[in-house]
Amino acid sequence: MALTLKWMQFLGLLVGVQCSKLPQGIQDRQQPQLARLRSNRTADDRDWRPFCKYPSKSADDYLVKIYVGSGQSRKMSFGGHPVGWQSDVTCKQPATGPCSSNTRQLLLSATQACTHISCQCEQDTSSVKLEYMREMMSIVLPACQQMSEGARVIVVGLGGGALTNYILAHCPKGTRVETIESDARVSQVAHAMFGFETQAGVSELEIEDGGEALKKRVNQGVHSAYDFIIVDCMVDNDHVPDSCKNEETISAASMLLRSGGKVIQHVWKPQLAELAATFKKKFSSSLQTVPVDKTEVDFLLVGSF
């Protein structure tokens, strides 16, 4: 018993040391997020150990981890030190076939690859589960529901398709969503395990860097065409990559907006000041900074014309 206790103390110390090596901004961001995760944690291994993974594509890349959880949930996280979910959806039916297995590996290295796995899922679009997504939709829905012919929307960052599917379920007929995703692995798993589907003229998917895709539209002569541009573009450690936050990208987004349109971007506190300064160059009189919750580490930036 004493030996076991010593090992537990050693492992606790080791975890603390590893966490202390993370950049301070990430440590600050993790505290309230981890507290929420712990408070909601169940005893079911399926909710906290990945069902499968997509390995890193290169030394500079990150893991994509998929969780087939209890309560018909499907979740996605990036990297080796997740501070939250990149996507969290509920399927209408329980997992079947190999995806119904209750077995999960203790070690990530032993977790199976997702490459050839498919799990049926029809998403429950009655709500979105992540707080920042609910806040985004509280901005989008009141406006789009007044558009009798539907809204035209760009979503940068696919995840499991929760935002795209929710918008199409709750905005009027005629709404069109163009989703842009840079990582083909995310596209593959969204189709195979999260129930995401495309439909010509309604829900279209482009595998492309988010910033480049926006600039390409402008260069092709597309201007003042969209009601909402939603940027939910994150990589490992919930970091917004430069291509989704630089001045050229925000400028392109502003040029694509119709009068009254909005750009809505999700960002964590360590990058808030930098991104807000870029937004102010294009949305100086209309910029809003919206805290997602009382912890004030998770924010939306909203720029409108």
Side-chain angles (χ1 to χ4, degrees):
M1 182 68 179
L3 180 61
T4 302
L5 180 60
K6 288 181 181 297
W7 272 107
M8 290 175 66
Q9 292 171 335
F10 170 73
L11 289 172
L13 177 61
L14 181 61
V15 170
V17 170
Q18 292 298 320
C19 289
S20 69
K21 292 181 180 178
L22 293 174
Q24 185 61 47
I26 295 173
Q27 291 184 56
D28 293 343
R29 186 172 76 238
Q30 279 185 327
Q31 298 311 312
Q33 189 80 335
L34 287 174
R36 282 202 300 272
L37 290 173
R38 290 188 186 109
S39 67
N40 294 326
R41 184 165 183 167
T42 71
D44 195 323
D45 280 351
R46 294 176 297 170
D47 294 322
W48 300 100
R49 292 180 181 164
F51 173 74
C52 65
K53 66 186 179 185
Y54 283 89
S56 305
K57 295 179 292 184
S58 69
D60 298 324
D61 198 18
Y62 50 86
L63 287 168
V64 177
K65 294 175 289 187
I66 306 304
Y67 301 74
V68 179
S70 62
Q72 299 166 202
S73 69
R74 302 283 164 85
K75 298 177 182 179
M76 181 187 306
S77 70
F78 293 163
H81 299 280
V83 298
W85 308 117
Q86 298 296 330
S87 193
D88 184 353
V89 309
T90 299
C91 303
K92 291 184 177 180
Q93 62 283 107
T96 59
C99 301
S100 64
S101 170
N102 292 332
T103 301
R104 299 293 184 269
Q105 298 297 324
L106 178 61
L107 297 177
L108 184 58
S109 59
T111 300
Q112 65 184 331
C114 298
T115 314
H116 302 296
I117 299 174
S118 179
C119 299
Q120 181 182 2
C121 176
E122 181 184 354
Q123 280 191 28
D124 178 355
T125 57
S126 61
S127 64
V128 284
K129 297 175 70 175
L130 298 178
E131 291 174 277
Y132 78 89
M133 290 187 179
R134 290 197 293 269
E135 192 68 40
M136 283 178 164
M137 293 302 97
S138 74
I139 298 168
V140 170
L141 289 195
C144 85
Q145 289 173 346
Q146 301 301 313
M147 300 174 184
S148 59
E149 297 183 358
R152 193 169 180 191
V153 184
I154 291 176
V155 175
V156 181
L158 171 62
L163 283 174
T164 294
N165 287 348
Y166 186 82
I167 290 167
L168 289 171
H170 293 271
C171 291
K173 184 178 180 179
T175 294
R176 175 181 175 179
V177 182
E178 300 167 28
T179 307
I180 302 164
E181 173 56 52
S182 64
D183 193 330
R185 297 173 302 172
V186 173
S187 171
Q188 182 178 348
V189 78
H191 285 89
M193 303 184 74
F194 286 76
F196 177 75
E197 296 181 355
T198 57
Q199 181 182 349
V202 177
S203 177
E204 299 185 343
L205 176 63
E206 180 179 355
I207 305 301
E208 174 69 275
D209 174 84
E212 291 302 316
L214 297 182
K215 288 182 280 186
K216 180 176 70 175
R217 284 164 170 75
V218 172
N219 292 336
Q220 291 173 342
V222 179
H223 294 83
S224 304
Y226 296 90
D227 299 294
F228 303 99
I229 298 175
I230 299 171
V231 185
D232 186 18
C233 178
M234 300 278 182
V235 291
D236 194 8
N237 286 321
D238 287 341
H239 181 83
V240 181
D242 181 71
S243 62
C244 287
K245 64 180 177 64
N246 62 41
E247 187 172 348
E248 293 81 5
T249 295
I250 304 306
S251 177
S254 69
M255 296 174 70
L256 292 170
L257 283 184
R258 291 172 175 161
S259 177
K262 298 180 185 295
V263 176
I264 307 170
Q265 182 153 5
H266 180 215
V267 63
W268 291 84
K269 188 173 183 178
Q271 292 182 291
L272 176 64
E274 176 190 4
L275 187 55
T278 305
F279 262 68
K280 284 180 182 178
K281 294 178 181 179
K282 293 297 175 183
F283 304 105
S284 57
S285 62
S286 64
L287 177 63
Q288 294 177 273
T289 302
V290 181
V292 168
D293 56 29
K294 294 180 181 179
T295 64
E296 294 194 354
V297 294
D298 194 6
F299 294 87
L300 303 180
L301 289 173
V302 184
S304 57
F305 278 154

